[in-house]
Coordinates of all heavy atoms in Angstrom, one line a residue:
G1 N 0.8 -1.2 0.0 CA 0.0 0.0 0.0 C 0.9 1.2 0.0 O 2.1 1.2 0.2
V2 N 0.2 2.3 -0.2 CA 0.9 3.7 -0.2 C 0.5 4.3 1.1 O -0.6 4.5 1.5 CB 0.4 4.5 -1.4 CG1 1.0 5.9 -1.3 CG2 0.7 3.8 -2.7
R3 N 1.6 4.7 1.8 CA 1.4 5.4 3.1 C 1.7 6.9 2.9 O 2.7 7.2 2.3 CB 2.3 4.9 4.2 CG 2.3 5.4 5.5 CD 1.2 5.0 6.5 NE 0.9 3.6 6.6 CZ -0.2 3.2 7.2 NH1 -1.0 4.0 7.7 NH2 -0.4 1.9 7.3
L4 N 0.8 7.8 3.2 CA 0.9 9.2 3.0 C 1.8 9.8 4.1 O 1.5 9.8 5.3 CB -0.4 9.9 3.0 CG -1.4 9.5 2.0 CD1 -2.7 10.2 2.1 CD2 -0.8 9.6 0.6
V5 N 3.0 10.3 3.7 CA 4.0 10.8 4.6 C 3.4 12.0 5.3 O 2.8 12.9 4.7 CB 5.3 11.2 3.9 CG1 6.3 11.8 4.8 CG2 5.8 9.9 3.2
G6 N 3.7 12.1 6.6 CA 3.2 13.3 7.4 C 1.7 13.2 7.6 O 1.1 14.3 8.0
S7 N 1.1 12.1 7.5 CA -0.3 12.0 7.8 C -0.6 11.1 9.0 O -1.4 10.2 8.9 CB -1.1 11.5 6.5 OG -0.7 10.1 6.2
E8 N 0.1 11.3 10.0 CA -0.1 10.5 11.2 C -1.5 10.6 11.8 O -2.0 9.8 12.4 CB 0.9 10.9 12.3 CG 2.3 10.5 11.9 CD 3.0 11.5 11.0 OE1 2.5 12.7 10.9 OE2 4.0 11.2 10.4
M9 N -2.1 11.8 11.6 CA -3.5 12.1 12.0 C -4.5 11.6 11.0 O -4.3 11.9 9.8 CB -3.6 13.5 12.3 CG -4.9 13.9 13.0 SD -4.9 15.6 13.5 CE -6.1 16.2 12.3
C10 N -5.4 10.8 11.4 CA -6.4 10.3 10.4 C -7.3 11.5 9.9 O -7.8 12.2 10.8 CB -7.3 9.2 11.0 SG -6.4 7.7 11.2
I11 N -7.5 11.6 8.6 CA -8.4 12.5 8.0 C -9.4 11.7 7.2 O -9.0 11.0 6.3 CB -7.6 13.5 7.2 CG1 -6.6 14.3 8.0 CG2 -8.7 14.5 6.5 CD1 -5.8 15.2 7.1
R12 N -10.6 11.9 7.6 CA -11.7 11.2 6.9 C -12.1 12.0 5.6 O -11.7 13.1 5.5 CB -12.9 11.0 7.8 CG -12.6 10.4 9.1 CD -13.1 8.9 9.2 NE -12.8 8.3 10.4 CZ -11.9 7.4 10.6 NH1 -11.2 6.9 9.6 NH2 -11.6 6.9 11.8
D13 N -12.8 11.3 4.7 CA -13.2 12.0 3.5 C -12.0 12.5 2.7 O -12.0 13.6 2.2 CB -14.2 13.2 3.8 CG -15.5 12.6 4.4 OD1 -15.9 11.5 4.0 OD2 -16.1 13.3 5.2
R14 N -11.0 11.7 2.6 CA -9.8 12.0 1.7 C -9.8 11.0 0.6 O -10.0 9.8 0.8 CB -8.6 11.9 2.6 CG -7.3 12.2 1.8 CD -6.1 12.1 2.6 NE -5.9 13.3 3.4 CZ -4.7 13.6 4.0 NH1 -3.7 12.7 3.9 NH2 -4.6 14.7 4.7
Y15 N -9.6 11.4 -0.6 CA -9.6 10.6 -1.8 C -8.4 10.8 -2.6 O -7.8 11.9 -2.6 CB -10.8 11.0 -2.7 CG -12.1 10.8 -1.9 CD1 -12.7 11.8 -1.1 CD2 -12.9 9.6 -2.0 CE1 -13.8 11.7 -0.4 CE2 -14.1 9.5 -1.3 CZ -14.5 10.5 -0.5 OH -15.7 10.3 0.2
Y16 N -8.0 9.8 -3.4 CA -6.9 10.0 -4.3 C -7.3 9.9 -5.8 O -8.4 9.3 -6.1 CB -5.7 9.0 -4.0 CG -6.1 7.5 -4.4 CD1 -5.8 7.0 -5.6 CD2 -6.6 6.7 -3.4 CE1 -6.1 5.7 -5.8 CE2 -7.0 5.4 -3.6 CZ -6.7 4.9 -4.8 OH -7.0 3.6 -5.1
S17 N -6.5 10.4 -6.7 CA -6.7 10.3 -8.1 C -5.4 10.0 -8.7 O -4.4 10.5 -8.3 CB -7.3 11.6 -8.7 OG -7.5 11.4 -10.1
I18 N -5.4 9.1 -9.7 CA -4.1 8.8 -10.5 C -4.3 9.3 -11.9 O -5.3 9.0 -12.5 CB -3.9 7.3 -10.5 CG1 -3.8 6.7 -9.1 CG2 -2.6 6.9 -11.2 CD1 -2.7 7.1 -8.2
L19 N -3.3 10.0 -12.4 CA -3.3 10.5 -13.7 C -2.0 10.0 -14.5 O -1.0 9.8 -13.9 CB -3.3 12.0 -13.7 CG -4.5 12.7 -13.1 CD1 -4.3 12.9 -11.6 CD2 -4.7 14.0 -13.8
D20 N -2.2 9.9 -15.8 CA -1.0 9.6 -16.6 C -0.2 10.9 -16.6 O -0.6 12.0 -16.9 CB -1.5 9.3 -18.0 CG -0.3 9.0 -19.0 OD1 0.5 9.9 -19.2 OD2 -0.3 7.8 -19.5
A21 N 1.1 10.8 -16.2 CA 2.0 12.0 -16.0 C 2.3 12.7 -17.3 O 2.5 13.9 -17.3 CB 3.2 11.6 -15.3
E22 N 2.2 12.0 -18.4 CA 2.5 12.6 -19.7 C 1.3 13.3 -20.3 O 1.4 14.4 -20.8 CB 3.1 11.6 -20.7 CG 3.5 12.2 -22.0 CD 4.2 11.1 -22.9 OE1 4.8 10.2 -22.4 OE2 3.9 11.2 -24.1
T23 N 0.1 12.6 -20.3 CA -1.1 13.1 -21.0 C -2.1 13.8 -20.0 O -3.0 14.4 -20.5 CB -1.8 12.0 -21.7 OG1 -2.3 11.1 -20.7 CG2 -0.9 11.3 -22.6
N24 N -1.9 13.7 -18.7 CA -2.8 14.1 -17.7 C -4.2 13.4 -17.8 O -5.1 13.9 -17.2 CB -3.0 15.6 -17.7 CG -1.9 16.3 -16.9 OD1 -1.4 15.8 -15.9 ND2 -1.5 17.5 -17.4
E25 N -4.3 12.3 -18.5 CA -5.5 11.5 -18.6 C -5.7 10.9 -17.2 O -4.8 10.3 -16.6 CB -5.4 10.5 -19.6 CG -6.6 9.6 -19.7 CD -6.4 8.4 -20.7 OE1 -5.4 8.5 -21.6 OE2 -7.2 7.5 -20.7
V26 N -7.0 11.0 -16.7 CA -7.3 10.4 -15.4 C -7.4 8.9 -15.6 O -8.2 8.4 -16.4 CB -8.7 11.0 -14.9 CG1 -9.1 10.3 -13.6 CG2 -8.5 12.5 -14.7
V27 N -6.7 8.2 -14.8 CA -6.7 6.7 -14.8 C -7.6 6.3 -13.7 O -8.4 5.3 -13.8 CB -5.3 6.1 -14.6 CG1 -5.3 4.7 -14.5 CG2 -4.4 6.7 -15.7
V28 N -7.5 6.9 -12.5 CA -8.4 6.6 -11.3 C -9.0 7.9 -10.9 O -8.3 8.8 -10.4 CB -7.6 5.9 -10.2 CG1 -8.5 5.7 -9.0 CG2 -6.9 4.7 -10.6
P29 N -10.3 8.0 -11.1 CA -11.0 9.3 -10.7 C -11.2 9.3 -9.2 O -11.3 8.3 -8.5 CB -12.3 9.3 -11.5 CG -12.6 7.8 -11.7 CD -11.2 7.1 -11.8
Y30 N -11.4 10.5 -8.7 CA -11.9 10.7 -7.3 C -13.2 10.0 -7.2 O -14.1 10.1 -8.1 CB -12.1 12.1 -7.0 CG -10.8 13.0 -6.9 CD1 -10.5 13.9 -7.9 CD2 -9.8 12.7 -5.9 CE1 -9.4 14.7 -7.9 CE2 -8.7 13.5 -5.9 CZ -8.5 14.5 -6.9 OH -7.3 15.2 -6.8
G31 N -13.5 9.3 -6.1 CA -14.8 8.7 -5.9 C -14.7 7.6 -4.8 O -13.7 7.4 -4.2
S32 N -15.8 6.9 -4.6 CA -15.9 5.9 -3.5 C -14.8 4.9 -3.7 O -14.4 4.3 -2.7 CB -17.3 5.3 -3.5 OG -17.6 4.7 -4.7
G33 N -14.4 4.6 -4.9 CA -13.4 3.5 -5.2 C -11.9 4.0 -4.9 O -11.0 3.3 -5.0
S34 N -11.8 5.3 -4.6 CA -10.5 5.9 -4.4 C -10.4 6.6 -3.0 O -9.6 7.5 -2.8 CB -10.1 6.8 -5.5 OG -10.9 8.0 -5.4
Q35 N -11.2 6.1 -2.1 CA -11.2 6.7 -0.7 C -10.0 6.2 0.0 O -9.6 5.0 -0.1 CB -12.4 6.4 0.1 CG -12.5 7.2 1.4 CD -13.9 7.1 2.0 OE1 -14.7 6.3 1.6 NE2 -14.1 8.0 2.9
I36 N -9.3 7.1 0.7 CA -8.1 6.8 1.4 C -8.5 6.3 2.8 O -9.3 6.9 3.5 CB -7.2 8.0 1.5 CG1 -6.7 8.4 0.1 CG2 -6.0 7.7 2.4 CD1 -6.0 9.7 0.1
S37 N -7.9 5.1 3.2 CA -8.2 4.5 4.5 C -7.4 5.1 5.6 O -6.5 5.9 5.4 CB -7.9 3.0 4.4 OG -8.7 2.4 3.4
C38 N -7.7 4.7 6.8 CA -7.0 5.3 8.0 C -6.9 4.2 9.0 O -7.8 3.4 9.2 CB -7.8 6.4 8.5 SG -7.1 7.3 9.9
D39 N -5.7 4.1 9.7 CA -5.5 3.2 10.8 C -4.7 4.0 11.9 O -4.5 5.2 11.8 CB -4.9 1.9 10.4 CG -3.4 2.0 9.8 OD1 -2.8 3.1 10.0 OD2 -2.9 1.1 9.2
S40 N -4.2 3.2 12.8 CA -3.5 3.9 14.0 C -2.2 4.6 13.5 O -1.7 5.4 14.3 CB -3.2 2.9 15.1 OG -2.4 1.8 14.6
S41 N -1.7 4.3 12.3 CA -0.4 4.9 11.8 C -0.7 6.1 10.9 O 0.2 6.7 10.5 CB 0.4 3.9 11.1 OG 0.8 2.8 11.9
G42 N -2.0 6.3 10.5 CA -2.3 7.4 9.6 C -3.1 6.9 8.4 O -3.7 5.9 8.4
N43 N -3.1 7.8 7.4 CA -3.8 7.5 6.1 C -3.0 6.7 5.2 O -1.8 6.8 5.1 CB -4.2 8.8 5.5 CG -5.1 9.7 6.3 OD1 -4.7 10.6 6.9 ND2 -6.4 9.3 6.3
Y44 N -3.7 5.8 4.4 CA -3.0 5.0 3.4 C -4.1 4.5 2.4 O -5.3 4.6 2.6 CB -2.4 3.8 4.1 CG -3.4 2.7 4.6 CD1 -3.8 1.7 3.8 CD2 -4.0 2.9 5.8 CE1 -4.7 0.8 4.2 CE2 -5.0 2.0 6.3 CZ -5.3 1.0 5.5 OH -6.3 0.1 5.9
F45 N -3.5 3.9 1.3 CA -4.4 3.2 0.3 C -3.6 2.2 -0.3 O -2.4 2.2 -0.4 CB -5.1 4.2 -0.7 CG -4.1 4.9 -1.6 CD1 -3.7 4.4 -2.8 CD2 -3.6 6.1 -1.2 CE1 -2.9 5.0 -3.6 CE2 -2.7 6.8 -2.0 CZ -2.4 6.2 -3.3
N46 N -4.3 1.1 -0.8 CA -3.7 0.0 -1.6 C -4.0 0.3 -3.0 O -5.1 0.6 -3.4 CB -4.2 -1.3 -1.1 CG -3.9 -1.7 0.3 OD1 -2.7 -1.5 0.7 ND2 -4.8 -2.2 1.0
L47 N -3.0 0.2 -3.9 CA -3.1 0.5 -5.3 C -2.7 -0.8 -6.1 O -1.6 -1.3 -6.0 CB -2.1 1.6 -5.7 CG -2.2 2.1 -7.1 CD1 -3.6 2.6 -7.4 CD2 -1.2 3.2 -7.3
D48 N -3.7 -1.3 -6.8 CA -3.5 -2.5 -7.6 C -3.0 -2.0 -9.0 O -3.6 -1.3 -9.7 CB -4.9 -3.2 -7.8 CG -4.7 -4.5 -8.7 OD1 -3.6 -4.8 -9.2 OD2 -5.8 -5.1 -8.9
L49 N -1.8 -2.4 -9.3 CA -1.1 -1.9 -10.5 C -1.4 -2.7 -11.8 O -0.9 -2.4 -12.9 CB 0.4 -1.8 -10.3 CG 0.8 -0.8 -9.3 CD1 2.4 -0.8 -9.1 CD2 0.4 0.6 -9.6
N50 N -2.3 -3.8 -11.6 CA -2.7 -4.5 -12.8 C -3.5 -3.6 -13.7 O -4.3 -2.8 -13.3 CB -3.6 -5.7 -12.4 CG -2.8 -6.8 -11.8 OD1 -1.7 -7.1 -12.1 ND2 -3.4 -7.4 -10.8
G51 N -3.2 -3.6 -15.0 CA -3.8 -2.7 -16.0 C -3.1 -1.4 -16.3 O -3.4 -0.7 -17.2
Y52 N -2.1 -1.1 -15.4 CA -1.2 0.0 -15.7 C -0.2 -0.3 -16.8 O 0.3 -1.5 -16.8 CB -0.5 0.5 -14.4 CG -1.4 1.2 -13.4 CD1 -2.3 0.5 -12.7 CD2 -1.4 2.6 -13.3 CE1 -3.2 1.2 -11.8 CE2 -2.2 3.3 -12.4 CZ -3.1 2.6 -11.7 OH -3.9 3.2 -10.8
Q53 N 0.2 0.6 -17.6 CA 1.2 0.3 -18.7 C 2.5 0.4 -18.1 O 2.9 1.3 -17.4 CB 1.0 1.4 -19.8 CG -0.3 1.2 -20.6 CD -0.3 2.2 -21.7 OE1 0.7 2.8 -22.1 NE2 -1.5 2.4 -22.2
P54 N 3.3 -0.7 -18.4 CA 4.7 -0.7 -17.9 C 5.5 0.4 -18.5 O 5.2 0.8 -19.7 CB 5.3 -2.1 -18.3 CG 4.1 -2.9 -18.6 CD 3.0 -1.9 -19.0
E55 N 6.5 0.9 -17.9 CA 7.5 1.9 -18.3 C 6.8 3.3 -18.5 O 7.2 4.1 -19.3 CB 8.2 1.5 -19.6 CG 8.9 0.2 -19.4 CD 9.9 0.2 -18.3 OE1 10.6 1.1 -18.1 OE2 9.9 -0.8 -17.5
R56 N 5.6 3.5 -17.9 CA 5.0 4.8 -18.0 C 5.0 5.4 -16.6 O 5.0 4.7 -15.6 CB 3.5 4.7 -18.4 CG 3.5 4.3 -19.9 CD 2.1 4.7 -20.5 NE 1.7 6.1 -20.5 CZ 1.9 6.9 -21.6 NH1 2.5 6.4 -22.7 NH2 1.5 8.1 -21.5
Y57 N 5.0 6.7 -16.5 CA 4.9 7.5 -15.3 C 3.5 7.9 -15.0 O 2.8 8.3 -15.9 CB 5.8 8.7 -15.3 CG 7.3 8.4 -15.3 CD1 8.0 8.2 -16.4 CD2 7.9 8.3 -14.1 CE1 9.4 7.9 -16.4 CE2 9.3 8.0 -14.0 CZ 10.0 7.8 -15.1 OH 11.3 7.5 -15.0
Y58 N 3.1 7.8 -13.7 CA 1.8 8.2 -13.3 C 2.0 9.2 -12.1 O 3.0 9.3 -11.5 CB 1.0 7.0 -12.8 CG 0.7 6.1 -13.9 CD1 1.6 5.0 -14.2 CD2 -0.4 6.2 -14.7 CE1 1.4 4.2 -15.2 CE2 -0.7 5.3 -15.7 CZ 0.2 4.3 -16.0 OH 0.0 3.4 -17.0
K59 N 1.0 10.1 -11.9 CA 1.1 11.0 -10.8 C -0.1 10.9 -9.9 O -1.2 10.5 -10.3 CB 1.3 12.4 -11.2 CG 0.1 13.1 -12.0 CD 0.5 14.5 -12.4 CE -0.6 15.2 -13.0 NZ -0.3 16.6 -13.3
L60 N 0.1 11.2 -8.7 CA -0.9 11.1 -7.6 C -1.3 12.5 -7.2 O -0.5 13.4 -6.9 CB -0.3 10.4 -6.4 CG -1.1 10.4 -5.1 CD1 -2.4 9.5 -5.2 CD2 -0.3 9.9 -4.0
E61 N -2.6 12.7 -7.1 CA -3.2 13.9 -6.5 C -4.2 13.4 -5.5 O -4.7 12.3 -5.6 CB -3.9 14.7 -7.6 CG -2.9 15.3 -8.6 CD -3.6 16.0 -9.8 OE1 -4.8 16.1 -9.9 OE2 -2.8 16.7 -10.5
Y62 N -4.6 14.3 -4.6 CA -5.6 13.9 -3.6 C -6.5 15.1 -3.3 O -6.2 16.3 -3.5 CB -5.0 13.2 -2.4 CG -4.1 14.0 -1.5 CD1 -4.6 14.6 -0.4 CD2 -2.7 14.1 -1.8 CE1 -3.7 15.3 0.4 CE2 -1.9 14.8 -1.0 CZ -2.3 15.4 0.1 OH -1.5 16.1 1.0
R63 N -7.7 14.7 -2.7 CA -8.7 15.7 -2.4 C -9.2 15.4 -0.9 O -9.4 14.3 -0.5 CB -9.9 15.6 -3.3 CG -11.1 16.4 -3.0 CD -12.2 16.1 -3.9 NE -13.0 15.0 -3.4 CZ -14.0 14.4 -4.1 NH1 -14.3 14.7 -5.3 NH2 -14.6 13.3 -3.5
I64 N -9.4 16.5 -0.2 CA -9.9 16.4 1.2 C -11.3 17.1 1.1 O -11.4 18.2 0.6 CB -9.1 17.1 2.2 CG1 -7.7 16.4 2.3 CG2 -9.8 17.1 3.6 CD1 -6.7 17.0 3.3
Q65 N -12.3 16.4 1.5 CA -13.7 16.9 1.4 C -14.2 17.1 2.9 O -14.0 16.2 3.7 CB -14.6 15.9 0.7 CG -15.9 16.3 0.5 CD -16.7 15.2 -0.3 OE1 -16.2 14.2 -0.6 NE2 -17.9 15.5 -0.6
S66 N -14.7 18.3 3.1 CA -15.4 18.5 4.4 C -16.8 19.0 4.2 O -17.1 19.6 3.2 CB -14.5 19.5 5.2 OG -14.4 20.7 4.6
G67 N -17.6 18.8 5.2 CA -19.0 19.1 5.1 C -19.8 18.4 4.0 O -20.7 18.9 3.4
S68 N -19.4 17.1 3.8 CA -20.0 16.4 2.7 C -21.5 16.4 2.7 O -22.1 16.1 3.7 CB -19.5 14.9 2.8 OG -20.0 14.1 1.8
G69 N -22.1 16.6 1.6 CA -23.6 16.6 1.4 C -24.3 17.8 2.0 O -25.5 17.8 2.1
T70 N -23.6 18.8 2.4 CA -24.2 20.0 3.0 C -23.9 21.2 2.1 O -23.1 21.2 1.2 CB -23.7 20.3 4.4 OG1 -22.3 20.8 4.3 CG2 -23.7 19.1 5.3
D71 N -24.6 22.3 2.4 CA -24.3 23.6 1.6 C -22.9 24.1 1.9 O -22.5 25.0 1.2 CB -25.4 24.6 2.0 CG -26.8 24.3 1.5 OD1 -26.9 23.5 0.5 OD2 -27.8 24.8 2.0
E72 N -22.3 23.6 3.0 CA -21.0 24.1 3.4 C -19.9 23.2 2.9 O -18.8 23.3 3.3 CB -21.0 24.1 5.0 CG -22.0 25.0 5.6 CD -21.9 26.5 5.2 OE1 -20.8 27.0 5.2 OE2 -23.0 27.1 5.0
E73 N -20.2 22.3 2.0 CA -19.2 21.3 1.5 C -18.0 22.1 0.8 O -18.2 23.0 0.0 CB -19.8 20.4 0.5 CG -18.8 19.3 0.0 CD -19.5 18.3 -0.9 OE1 -20.5 17.7 -0.5 OE2 -19.0 18.2 -2.1
I74 N -16.8 21.7 1.2 CA -15.6 22.3 0.7 C -14.7 21.2 0.2 O -14.5 20.2 0.9 CB -14.9 23.1 1.8 CG1 -15.7 24.3 2.2 CG2 -13.5 23.6 1.3 CD1 -15.2 25.1 3.4
N75 N -14.2 21.3 -1.0 CA -13.2 20.3 -1.5 C -11.9 21.0 -1.7 O -11.8 22.1 -2.3 CB -13.6 19.8 -2.8 CG -14.8 18.9 -2.7 OD1 -14.7 17.8 -2.1 ND2 -15.9 19.2 -3.3
Q76 N -10.8 20.5 -1.1 CA -9.5 21.0 -1.2 C -8.6 20.0 -2.0 O -8.6 18.8 -1.7 CB -8.8 21.3 0.1 CG -9.6 22.3 1.0 CD -9.0 22.4 2.4 OE1 -9.1 21.5 3.1 NE2 -8.4 23.6 2.7
Y77 N -8.0 20.5 -3.1 CA -7.2 19.6 -4.0 C -5.7 19.8 -3.7 O -5.3 21.0 -3.6 CB -7.6 19.8 -5.4 CG -9.0 19.5 -5.7 CD1 -10.1 20.4 -5.5 CD2 -9.4 18.2 -6.2 CE1 -11.4 20.1 -5.8 CE2 -10.7 17.9 -6.4 CZ -11.7 18.8 -6.2 OH -13.0 18.4 -6.5
Y78 N -5.0 18.7 -3.8 CA -3.5 18.8 -3.5 C -2.8 18.0 -4.6 O -3.1 16.9 -4.9 CB -3.2 18.2 -2.1 CG -3.8 19.0 -1.0 CD1 -5.0 18.6 -0.5 CD2 -3.2 20.1 -0.4 CE1 -5.7 19.3 0.5 CE2 -3.7 20.8 0.6 CZ -5.0 20.4 1.0 OH -5.6 21.1 2.1
D79 N -1.7 18.6 -5.1 CA -0.8 18.0 -6.0 C 0.6 18.3 -5.4 O 1.1 19.4 -5.6 CB -0.9 18.5 -7.4 CG 0.1 18.0 -8.4 OD1 0.9 17.1 -8.0 OD2 0.0 18.3 -9.6
E80 N 1.1 17.3 -4.8 CA 2.4 17.4 -4.1 C 3.6 17.0 -5.1 O 4.7 16.9 -4.6 CB 2.5 16.5 -2.9 CG 1.4 16.8 -1.8 CD 1.5 18.2 -1.2 OE1 2.7 18.6 -1.0 OE2 0.5 18.8 -1.0
G81 N 3.3 16.8 -6.4 CA 4.3 16.5 -7.3 C 4.8 15.0 -7.2 O 5.9 14.7 -7.7
F82 N 4.1 14.1 -6.6 CA 4.4 12.7 -6.4 C 4.2 12.0 -7.7 O 3.0 11.9 -8.2 CB 3.7 12.1 -5.3 CG 4.0 10.7 -5.1 CD1 5.2 10.3 -4.4 CD2 3.2 9.6 -5.5 CE1 5.6 9.0 -4.3 CE2 3.6 8.3 -5.3 CZ 4.7 8.0 -4.7
T83 N 5.2 11.4 -8.3 CA 5.0 10.6 -9.5 C 5.7 9.2 -9.2 O 6.5 9.0 -8.4 CB 5.7 11.2 -10.8 OG1 7.1 11.3 -10.5 CG2 5.1 12.5 -11.1
F84 N 5.2 8.2 -10.0 CA 5.8 6.9 -9.9 C 5.8 6.3 -11.2 O 5.0 6.6 -12.1 CB 5.1 6.0 -8.8 CG 3.6 5.8 -9.2 CD1 3.2 4.6 -9.9 CD2 2.6 6.6 -8.8 CE1 1.9 4.3 -10.2 CE2 1.3 6.4 -9.1 CZ 0.9 5.2 -9.8
K85 N 6.7 5.3 -11.4 CA 6.8 4.6 -12.7 C 6.5 3.1 -12.5 O 7.0 2.5 -11.5 CB 8.3 4.7 -13.2 CG 8.5 4.0 -14.5 CD 10.0 4.2 -15.0 CE 10.2 3.5 -16.3 NZ 11.7 3.7 -16.7
V86 N 5.8 2.5 -13.4 CA 5.4 1.1 -13.3 C 6.5 0.4 -14.1 O 6.7 0.7 -15.3 CB 4.0 0.9 -13.9 CG1 3.7 -0.6 -13.9 CG2 3.0 1.6 -13.0
T87 N 7.1 -0.6 -13.6 CA 8.2 -1.3 -14.2 C 7.7 -2.8 -14.3 O 6.9 -3.3 -13.5 CB 9.5 -1.2 -13.6 OG1 9.4 -1.7 -12.2 CG2 10.0 0.2 -13.5
L88 N 8.3 -3.5 -15.2 CA 8.1 -5.0 -15.3 C 8.7 -5.8 -14.2 O 9.7 -5.5 -13.7 CB 8.5 -5.5 -16.6 CG 7.8 -4.9 -17.8 CD1 8.4 -5.4 -19.1 CD2 6.3 -5.3 -17.8

């Protein structure tokens, strides 16, 4: 799994998105299938790399949602410049 550095405190309603780093095409959109989990060590998610193209770079972005389903709902988007390469 991927452990988010500096996220020792659990934050609920956090989601990730994976994009092709070259084309910016969304591979994994924000949504219920990309919710970030939380345990006693902080936030994390498991990423199944089946279906990703080898030798390509991907980037990770994430969103924190607060006030979900209310008129006060706020979405904050973060791009920390994290990229990874899928190898054989």
Side-chain angles (χ1 to χ4, degrees):
V2 177
R3 180 80 44 193
L4 300 178
V5 177
S7 64
E8 294 80 17
M9 190 173 108
C10 286
I11 299 175
R12 306 254 182 249
D13 295 327
R14 182 182 275 194
Y15 302 85
Y16 67 90
S17 180
I18 305 291
L19 295 87
D20 183 296
E22 185 177 324
T23 65
N24 277 327
E25 177 183 347
V26 176
V27 177
V28 176
Y30 294 111
S32 61
S34 69
Q35 189 164 16
I36 297 174
S37 299
C38 185
D39 65 14
S40 61
S41 297
N43 295 102
Y44 72 94
F45 62 93
N46 294 317
L47 184 60
D48 181 359
L49 295 177
N50 290 322
Y52 285 76
Q53 293 183 14
E55 304 307 316
R56 289 200 65 97
Y57 286 91
Y58 296 89
K59 67 180 183 175
L60 168 69
E61 296 179 348
Y62 62 98
R63 175 184 85 189
I64 298 175
Q65 183 177 4
S66 59
S68 180
T70 70
D71 290 339
E72 304 296 318
E73 183 175 304
I74 297 172
N75 290 296
Q76 296 174 297
Y77 295 87
Y78 298 89
D79 178 356
E80 303 294 325
F82 180 78
T83 61
F84 62 94
K85 180 181 179 182
V86 176
T87 59
L88 294 175

